[in-house]
Amino acid sequence: MTTKKQFIQEQLDRISERSSNRQIEAAKLFMAAKAGDMTAKAKLAEGISTSDIPTLLEPTINITFLAQYAQQETVWDQIADVYEAPDFGRLEFGDFEIDASALISNDGDEFVAGGLPVVGEYDEYPAVKFVTEQLNKDFDRKRGVKLRISWEALRRSGNVDIITRATEAFARMAAMQEDISLAKEFVTVGAAGVNAANWTGRGIAGNPDLTADGIGALGAAITASRAVVDPNGNPIVAPSYKLIAGSALDLPIRKVQGITNLQVTDANGTYDTNPQQETGLFNPIIFPALDRVSGNNTAKYWFVL
């Protein structure tokens, strides 16, 4: 899958390839003027008008925006992967499914879902169905803002850098929106609660209070995760886990993972154990967008992926 930085670099290369000589010259003057070159600023002020901005400065503005966007720190790409969709319609995922009831003979070998059935020497291979599932989210919304500017007004004020400041602000908003969109998959907007509509049937809900018994809570999460299966019905056994939480649980998580010795009393007596055998399996990811979306109501909510 393409990473965010790879995607941005591809777009930058594409813009550079399409730029005309006049656009490249305008870009050089704009960058020099932005850096404080008074000669370049004078040439740019005299040689361009408002109507020229969409044509001559379009590649420059797009490249500036993408470069600033690439510098924005985001958390979503530590949690999710990039999936490139062909369009902005519904996303469908599919797989082939074998109908066990249609199998005529197993020749003494019981068919197990996920594998291949036995076929008699002179029998036909059973047909499979292609079963699809739609993601319960439409990707048909577009978001954005616009800035109304007059090049003549900028020329009079000499504040050419307003364009760069605008693209920087828009890049920051775009990056934050990505984190916000993912955070909405976890928590409800403006309230303390898990987004049950997105988690029902996809995992185990109801994590215990991490601040009361953090080691026990993380151990219970590992046990509960064993009940989750993939689309083929196989248990998901992960070598490590992502522990996602809001900023309120940052310190409690650090404290729990810092414990190196724990005295346990059970039917076998009293003995010391190293809890990091369990807590060390978790990679903490503090996700500030959870606080922003929920209105800072994330002290009791954490997620394991």
Side-chain angles (χ1 to χ4, degrees):
M1 292 186 177
T2 305
T3 65
K4 173 182 172 181
K5 289 188 176 180
Q6 287 173 333
F7 172 77
I8 293 172
Q9 187 58 53
E10 289 172 1
Q11 300 308 308
L12 290 173
D13 294 341
R14 190 174 302 170
I15 293 172
S16 299
E17 291 172 0
R18 292 189 209 167
S19 299
S20 66
N21 291 333
R22 289 191 66 209
Q23 289 173 329
I24 293 174
E25 188 61 30
K28 291 178 180 178
L29 288 174
F30 178 79
M31 293 300 181
K34 186 168 69 75
D37 188 324
M38 299 305 296
T39 301
K41 185 178 291 187
K43 288 181 179 179
L44 196 63
E46 294 300 325
I48 200 170
S49 64
T50 300
S51 60
D52 291 322
I53 292 178
T55 53
L56 290 182
L57 285 181
E58 179 187 5
T60 306
I61 293 173
N62 286 339
I63 287 176
T64 302
F65 169 79
L66 286 173
Q68 292 168 333
Y69 169 68
Q71 295 175 359
Q72 303 299 318
E73 295 291 334
T74 53
V75 180
W76 70 265
D77 45 357
Q78 301 176 43
I79 302 171
D81 294 324
V82 176
Y83 177 84
E84 293 187 28
D87 53 46
F88 288 94
R90 284 184 175 272
L91 293 183
E92 285 191 351
F93 300 90
D95 199 1
F96 293 97
E97 185 176 279
I98 298 175
D99 183 5
S101 64
L103 300 179
I104 300 174
S105 172
N106 57 23
D107 197 24
D109 186 63
E110 194 70 23
F111 170 73
V112 177
L116 292 171
V118 171
V119 181
E121 183 67 26
Y122 300 104
D123 294 335
E124 292 185 6
Y125 290 102
V128 296
K129 296 183 296 183
F130 187 70
V131 181
T132 61
E133 179 181 351
Q134 285 189 340
L135 188 67
N136 65 336
K137 186 177 183 67
D138 283 322
F139 288 85
D140 56 357
R141 299 184 184 93
K142 67 176 183 180
R143 300 176 185 271
V145 291
K146 66 179 179 181
L147 174 67
R148 289 191 175 96
I149 59 173
S150 163
W151 183 259
E152 285 74 22
L154 294 182
R155 185 176 59 186
R156 286 194 297 270
S157 66
N159 190 13
V160 177
D161 195 44
I162 188 65
I163 295 178
T164 306
R165 291 169 61 187
T167 55
E168 182 178 7
F170 296 166
R172 185 171 60 250
M173 294 175 191
M176 176 56 68
Q177 182 58 48
E178 292 173 343
D179 277 358
I180 289 173
S181 295
L182 181 59
K184 285 181 178 181
E185 300 296 316
F186 290 93
V187 295
T188 51
V189 178
V194 174
N195 192 335
N198 290 328
W199 284 89
T200 301
R202 296 187 181 180
I204 305 298
N207 289 331
D209 189 349
L210 195 65
T211 59
D213 179 15
I215 296 174
L218 293 180
I222 294 176
T223 302
S225 72
R226 298 293 191 262
V228 181
V229 297
D230 64 18
N232 294 320
N234 301 314
I236 299 177
V237 181
S240 61
Y241 302 84
K242 295 177 181 179
L243 176 57
I244 303 163
S247 57
L249 290 179
D250 185 12
L251 185 57
I253 290 174
R254 292 175 186 268
K255 288 182 176 179
V256 169
Q257 290 199 308
I259 298 174
T260 58
N261 186 71
L262 184 67
Q263 192 173 75
V264 177
T265 300
D266 56 20
N268 297 318
T270 300
Y271 53 93
D272 291 339
T273 183
N274 184 0
Q276 290 189 343
Q277 294 176 349
E278 293 182 351
T279 60
L281 297 175
F282 292 88
N283 174 30
I285 299 175
I286 303 304
F287 196 13
L290 293 177
D291 304 292
R292 184 181 291 266
V293 170
S294 68
N296 296 316
N297 289 311
T298 56
K300 301 291 184 182
Y301 296 95
W302 51 281
F303 305 86
V304 171
L305 294 180

